[in-house]
Amino acid sequence: MRANNTMTDKPTDQEKILAKQREREIADQGKANAKRAQLEQKEAHERAKARAIAQSRLQFRAIKGTRDILPPESARWNWFEHTAREVFESYNFGEIRLPIFEDTELFARSIGVETDVVSKEMYSFPDRPFGEIEGVKDVESFEKYYYEVKRAYESGEIPRTEDNRVAIANLEMIFLAAGDLFPPSSEMSAERRDELLENILGVLASSAALQLGPSLTLRPEATASVCRAYIEHRLDTKPGNQKLYYIGPMFRRERPQKGRYRQFYQIGAEVLGQSDAPAIDAEVLEMLLVFFNRVGLTRTTLYINSIGDKNCRPQYVELLRNELRKVKDRLKEDSQRRIETNPLRVLDSKIPEEQPIIEKLPRISDHLCDDCRAHFAKLKEELNLRGIDYKENWRLVRGLDYYTRTTFEVTAEGLGSQNAVCGGGRYDGLVELLGGPPTKGIGFAIGTDRSILSIEESGNAPKLGGLAVYIAWMGQASYPAAVSVAGKLRAAGLAVELPPEEMKFKKSLGLADKLGARYAVIIGEDEVASRTFTLKRLADGDQKKLAEGELLEYLESERRR
């Protein structure tokens, strides 16, 4: 019988070497995989971070109806406003800078409570100069709320209006009635506390009219603010008519559309004084049209009308209201509402279906008193004297209550149906309505957004300065000379770009071209040694070497061209 000898073979040296090589390969592969995974994880993290940054950027955008005005567009706005200043000041107007917000009552009283501006479009908010009063959260906090409100009312921090007096009385009534119901919370059942809190909150709901601070409004227009300033600073005591202009943003909660925004910009002018001579109206219109011509807004039409005064307009308004009542069922909802609130605004309707109806309504020109008719006739005579073209529009009534006699509007091409770029008129009596002395007034407001849009679409927008000189310096030895030249050119009124770091020559000139520079001043070690500079005109590549004095003189002469 043969023995079964099973022997375990030992690996050879060659096999051991191969095994170690395999182990190293596996280890190396593992390290490579780990490094690759780490890299992919880092890249994924960077992508996630980039997405988060992009999303965070998207979260903050300009509010609907507002916009950012960026270079180079802002340069055109500066030019437009600067031209207005030049023209207006040539007619002896001075600039007035007004607060952006005013007491809400100022606009309600001047513009009219029933107007769309006041009833629908104003941005109003309560001002709380003494800080927040903590609201009622439970029974115990009501007592603190009551004492804080009463103290603020008695000290005048809360406005002493009739509505506030009634609201405070209601709070005091429930507080006194529940005076014995404020034991420590441990002695009051949960049911009783809930019952008392329900009663307190009921009274607070009925006292919702409590105004914790004066109501303020972002200005929807500026005429009322000018009149307030005229009264406050006693401008009526100064000699002659007060001729003022303003530039700045206004705010209305309107539906944004082409050339119309919720924060929009106006340039306006007002004349306030004791005279209502038609020559004042004509000169204001002349100044306005001179400005429009200066900025290239030439395809415009001036419309004028007279809407009477306190002696004849009320009778016409009542006649118009009665005639509108007869056709009320054929009018749209807004016009139906305006029959009772402001029937003149119906004449301003743009709804196509209402036009045949409006054309048959009584015309105010047939119902002016003798004084208003004479004033309007003299205005037309003054306009003819100045060579000003105009068209009469009996439906031009303006949207604000304070207008009397002269009203006018300027329209421009390229803006569609909403083509008015300026409106204004006479508002005799507004200053007196606001508590000032009897004063005559006339003014206008230009819509800056629409005016600039019309200029751009007409192709009359000017080419503005932009970057004049780019300084291409090379080598640290040339940097002090570059700084010196840049300072002297800027002092001469030239726009200069000086790179903060040294750049390669080709890259530097490439950047100059992208920035729209007209010239490049090249300063290297050779230029510093010879005390001359190379001036290159980027439009055609023309170059010349100039000494510093020659360089400054040449570029100054180019700027004046």
Side-chain angles (χ1 to χ4, degrees):
M1 188 175 175
R2 192 189 320 179
N4 186 13
N5 283 333
T6 304
M7 297 181 63
T8 302
D9 297 331
K10 292 182 180 180
T12 65
D13 292 340
Q14 183 65 26
E15 288 174 335
K16 289 179 182 179
I17 292 171
L18 291 175
K20 287 183 179 180
Q21 287 179 343
R22 180 60 181 159
E23 288 175 3
R24 282 197 297 270
E25 289 174 358
I26 294 173
D28 290 343
Q29 185 64 42
K31 289 178 182 179
N33 291 341
K35 188 174 182 180
R36 184 164 48 251
Q38 187 178 17
L39 182 61
E40 289 175 353
Q41 185 178 11
K42 184 178 179 181
E43 290 175 349
H45 176 72
E46 292 297 329
R47 287 195 297 269
K49 184 178 178 181
R51 283 195 300 270
I53 291 173
Q55 289 173 355
S56 68
R57 287 173 180 165
L58 291 175
Q59 286 173 2
F60 298 102
R61 302 178 67 88
I63 303 299
K64 183 179 181 181
T66 68
R67 60 173 177 149
D68 302 306
I69 301 170
L70 307 174
E73 184 185 5
S74 56
R76 188 163 295 154
W77 279 64
N78 288 334
W79 157 79
F80 188 82
E81 293 171 353
H82 176 72
T83 306
R85 288 187 167 94
E86 286 186 334
V87 172
F88 294 177
E89 288 172 11
S90 73
Y91 282 78
N92 196 33
F93 280 70
E95 184 176 7
I96 181 171
R97 301 197 178 194
L98 301 159
I100 283 182
F101 53 86
E102 300 268 9
D103 191 310
T104 300
E105 183 62 21
L106 173 67
F107 301 116
R109 191 183 301 181
S110 61
I111 300 173
V113 174
E114 299 297 338
T115 58
D116 287 350
V117 173
V118 173
S119 63
K120 297 180 180 180
E121 298 172 359
M122 294 202 313
Y123 286 98
S124 300
F125 57 93
D127 186 29
R128 300 184 182 184
F130 53 86
E132 297 290 333
I133 291 180
E134 189 174 347
V136 177
K137 299 177 182 177
D138 49 39
V139 172
E140 290 76 14
S141 65
F142 173 69
E143 183 175 14
K144 180 182 177 183
Y145 175 84
Y146 167 74
Y147 281 119
E148 285 189 357
V149 167
K150 187 176 181 181
R151 177 200 59 77
Y153 178 75
E154 291 175 349
S155 67
E157 292 176 295
I158 288 179
R160 291 172 174 263
T161 63
E162 179 61 19
D163 287 342
N164 276 354
R165 187 193 66 77
V166 173
I168 296 288
N170 286 338
L171 287 175
E172 189 167 18
M173 178 182 65
I174 182 88
F175 181 78
L176 294 175
D180 59 341
L181 298 178
F182 287 101
S185 58
S186 59
E187 299 179 13
M188 184 184 297
S189 67
E191 293 79 7
R192 181 58 183 146
R193 184 182 297 106
D194 291 342
E195 180 185 351
L196 182 57
L197 182 59
E198 185 176 346
N199 291 336
I200 291 171
L201 294 178
V203 173
L204 289 176
S206 67
S207 303
L210 183 64
Q211 183 183 337
L212 296 181
S215 177
L216 305 180
T217 294
L218 298 178
R219 62 187 187 197
E221 57 96 44
T223 298
S225 297
V226 172
C227 290
R228 189 266 310 147
Y230 179 87
I231 298 167
E232 181 177 343
H233 301 288
R234 293 303 312 272
L235 298 185
D236 60 298
T237 63
K238 294 183 176 294
N241 290 322
Q242 298 304 299
K243 303 165 78 172
L244 306 167
Y245 74 89
Y246 57 84
I247 297 175
M250 312 294 160
F251 306 85
R252 294 187 191 179
R253 189 184 288 108
E254 294 185 293
R255 179 177 298 169
Q257 52 185 290
K258 184 178 182 179
R260 174 175 286 183
Y261 300 91
R262 291 181 174 182
Q263 177 178 319
F264 57 99
Y265 294 82
Q266 288 187 344
I267 299 175
E270 317 286 348
V271 180
L272 294 159
Q274 297 306 307
S275 175
D276 63 352
I280 297 174
D281 304 30
E283 187 176 80
V284 165
L285 288 168
E286 177 189 297
M287 181 179 76
L288 173 63
L289 295 177
V290 166
F291 168 65
F292 280 157
N293 185 65
R294 187 82 61 86
V295 296
L297 196 60
T298 54
R299 294 185 297 173
T300 58
T301 304
L302 168 65
Y303 294 96
I304 63 171
N305 190 29
S306 176
I307 57 173
D309 61 12
K310 62 182 179 181
N311 297 315
C312 57
R313 188 164 68 163
Q315 291 88 338
Y316 171 73
V317 169
E318 196 54 39
L319 172 65
L320 181 63
R321 180 179 282 117
N322 289 334
E323 292 299 315
L324 286 169
R325 284 169 178 162
K326 296 176 184 178
V327 294
K328 180 177 180 180
D329 294 342
R330 297 163 58 192
L331 299 173
K332 299 297 182 181
E333 185 178 347
D334 275 352
S335 293
Q336 289 182 356
R337 175 177 55 82
R338 287 169 177 162
I339 291 174
E340 304 305 325
T341 61
N342 192 352
L344 285 174
R345 287 299 312 279
V346 178
L347 303 180
D348 203 30
S349 169
K350 302 296 189 294
I351 299 174
E353 297 86 345
E354 295 183 343
Q355 304 312 303
I357 302 170
I358 293 172
E359 282 299 319
K360 297 178 181 178
L361 293 171
R363 302 192 173 198
I364 194 168
S365 56
D366 299 327
H367 298 273
L368 296 175
C369 64
D370 291 342
D371 287 344
C372 289
R373 187 174 291 109
H375 187 278
F376 193 44
K378 182 64 175 175
L379 169 63
K380 290 183 280 187
E381 182 182 319
E382 290 280 353
L383 293 176
N384 292 332
L385 176 65
R386 290 166 168 78
I388 296 174
D389 294 328
Y390 61 87
K391 292 182 180 180
E392 292 185 52
N393 179 3
W394 71 276
R395 290 175 55 177
L396 182 59
V397 295
R398 311 303 304 146
L400 307 180
D401 281 357
Y402 53 60
Y403 283 107
T404 59
R405 289 192 174 175
T406 305
T407 60
F408 56 87
E409 183 175 82
V410 178
T411 61
E413 295 183 12
L415 297 175
S417 60
Q418 299 290 335
N419 60 352
V421 292
C422 176
R426 180 161 285 283
Y427 47 86
D428 303 342
L430 176 57
V431 171
E432 192 172 3
L433 176 67
L434 297 176
T439 305
K440 311 294 185 182
I442 185 171
F444 62 78
I446 299 166
T448 306
D449 305 81
R450 289 192 196 179
S451 296
I452 292 177
L453 180 62
S454 181
I455 293 169
E456 290 172 342
E457 295 197 352
S458 68
N460 291 334
K463 278 192 171 183
L464 300 176
L467 180 60
V469 179
Y470 180 94
I471 298 182
W473 61 276
M474 291 154 289
Q476 287 300 317
S478 66
Y479 182 63
V483 172
S484 175
V485 169
K488 291 174 181 178
L489 292 174
R490 287 165 177 161
L494 293 161
V496 178
E497 177 69 16
L498 175 65
E501 297 177 315
E502 184 178 6
M503 300 171 63
K504 291 183 178 179
F505 180 68
K506 187 175 181 180
K507 184 177 181 182
S508 188
L509 288 187
L511 178 58
D513 191 54
K514 289 177 182 178
L515 292 175
R518 294 193 296 279
Y519 292 94
V521 174
I522 301 168
I523 305 177
E525 293 179 0
D526 292 342
E527 283 79 9
V528 173
S530 64
R531 293 190 174 184
T532 59
F533 304 102
T534 302
L535 179 67
K536 181 173 183 177
R537 188 165 54 215
L538 295 178
D540 57 11
D542 179 65
Q543 288 189 186
K544 60 186 69 179
K545 282 191 174 291
L546 299 169
E548 183 176 306
E550 294 173 329
L551 176 70
L552 294 174
E553 185 179 345
Y554 180 85
L555 289 174
E556 280 191 72
S557 66
E558 286 291 296
R559 181 179 64 84
R560 288 192 293 267
R561 287 184 184 181

